[in-house]
Amino acid sequence: QQQVKQSPQSLIVQKGGISIINCAYENTAFDYFPWYQQFPGKGPALLIAIRPDVSEKKEGRFTISFNKSAKQFSLHIMDSQPGDSATYFCAATPNQAGTALIFGKGTTLSVSS
Amino acid sequence: EPEVTQTPSHQVTQMGQEVILRCVPISNHLYFYWYRQILGQKVEFLVSFYNNEISEKSEIFDDQFSVERPDGSNFTLKIRSTKLEDSAMYFCASSGGVGTQYFGPGTRLTVL
């Protein structure tokens, strides 16, 4: 019940295309859903986050869609660029201070030029 | 922009030795965390720390691990007797409360 399932494991997208990464969870206590971007040899960096009181959040080319009833959320990267090539992790937490982030297994995105 | 810093960036140790990984969280943050990432795998939670006490810990965080805030700025993870399987990237993170956890660049621990 603590798991966050993420798919696909890897993704190849043409420059200018849309990248879509999906995550699902079971624990209804999860209340905060961030996405992190990680480049090789670096720490995860927060990309965008959502709470379940909204169904969508957009920041620039990055959009989170959230389906509370299905317990699913997804990251859409519009107009994907080679610089977006990285590993993306979804995560979830009950959003109480000091509680663990539960990460998905990650998606390695390659954007070809 | 404030950031979490970690030292060293790479630590090589012999099996059975003790290592201390150091972190300087963002200065006004109150909650501190350690995570690890075995090569090619997901990021796993180890422990969270608030007000000089452990708030939450995972099954991974057994008796060989300990955390400490020895002064007003540093936050450390000690691994008492390292094993081969402790080889991983260790990330420190901090948060001001609920919401975003900010991660440091990590320490790569290699146990030989």
Side-chain angles (χ1 to χ4, degrees), chain B residues 47-91:
Chain B
V47 66
S48 61
F49 191 83
Y50 169 73
N51 198 26
N52 282 320
E53 291 185 349
I54 290 174
S55 302
E56 184 180 357
K57 62 181 181 179
S58 71
E59 293 176 350
I60 303 168
F61 193 86
D62 61 21
D63 291 345
Q64 68 164 149
F65 293 95
S66 62
V67 289
E68 189 179 27
R69 186 150 164 86
D71 54 43
S73 59
N74 289 281
F75 179 52
T76 62
L77 174 69
K78 183 191 290 185
I79 309 176
R80 255 180 278 283
S81 177
T82 50
K83 306 171 194 168
L84 294 175
E85 54 265 37
D86 294 329
S87 294
M89 283 288 286
Y90 288 81
F91 294 107

Side-chain angles (χ1 to χ4, degrees), chain A residues 2-4 32 36 38 41-46 49 51 89 93 95-106, chain B residues 31 33 35 37 40-45 48-49 55-56 89 91 95 97-106 108:
Chain A
Q2 279 288 85
Q3 283 188 342
V4 176
Y32 178 72
Y36 283 84
Q38 185 180 36
K42 304 294 184 183
L46 179 71
R51 289 196 168 85
F89 292 94
T93 179
N95 199 32
Q96 297 159 14
T99 54
L101 281 171
I102 306 302
F103 282 85
K105 290 189 174 182
Chain B
Y31 297 85
Y33 311 81
Y35 291 81
Q37 184 179 34
Q41 298 187 24
K42 68 176 179 179
V43 179
E44 298 176 293
F45 171 76
S48 61
F49 191 83
S55 302
E56 184 180 357
M89 283 288 286
F91 294 107
S95 68
V98 299
T100 304
Q101 294 181 23
Y102 295 90
F103 284 74
R108 179 174 300 282

Side-chain angles (χ1 to χ4, degrees), chain A residues 2-33:
Chain A
Q2 279 288 85
Q3 283 188 342
V4 176
K5 295 182 180 177
Q6 183 172 348
S7 63
Q9 184 176 342
S10 62
L11 185 59
I12 299 173
V13 173
Q14 293 273 354
K15 180 181 175 182
I18 302 173
S19 304
I20 301 175
I21 304 170
N22 300 299
C23 286
Y25 64 98
E26 293 185 359
N27 189 344
T28 55
F30 288 154
D31 197 44
Y32 178 72
F33 303 88

Side-chain angles (χ1 to χ4, degrees), chain A:
Chain A
Q1 202 180 22
Q2 279 288 85
Q3 283 188 342
V4 176
K5 295 182 180 177
Q6 183 172 348
S7 63
Q9 184 176 342
S10 62
L11 185 59
I12 299 173
V13 173
Q14 293 273 354
K15 180 181 175 182
I18 302 173
S19 304
I20 301 175
I21 304 170
N22 300 299
C23 286
Y25 64 98
E26 293 185 359
N27 189 344
T28 55
F30 288 154
D31 197 44
Y32 178 72
F33 303 88
W35 285 88
Y36 283 84
Q37 180 189 55
Q38 185 180 36
F39 293 103
K42 304 294 184 183
L46 179 71
L47 194 61
I48 187 173
I50 197 168
R51 289 196 168 85
D53 53 347
V54 297
S55 60
E56 186 174 283
K57 183 175 181 179
K58 183 176 181 179
E59 289 184 2
R61 296 185 294 110
F62 301 92
T63 299
I64 300 178
S65 297
F66 190 87
N67 185 331
K68 187 174 181 178
S69 60
K71 300 199 203 68
Q72 295 174 348
F73 57 111
S74 59
L75 175 69
H76 295 233
I77 306 174
M78 312 300 286
D79 187 27
S80 299
Q81 298 297 312
D84 296 331
S85 298
T87 299
Y88 293 82
F89 292 94
C90 62
T93 179
N95 199 32
Q96 297 159 14
T99 54
L101 281 171
I102 306 302
F103 282 85
K105 290 189 174 182
T107 296
T108 301
L109 172 65
S110 296
V111 181
S112 61
S113 53

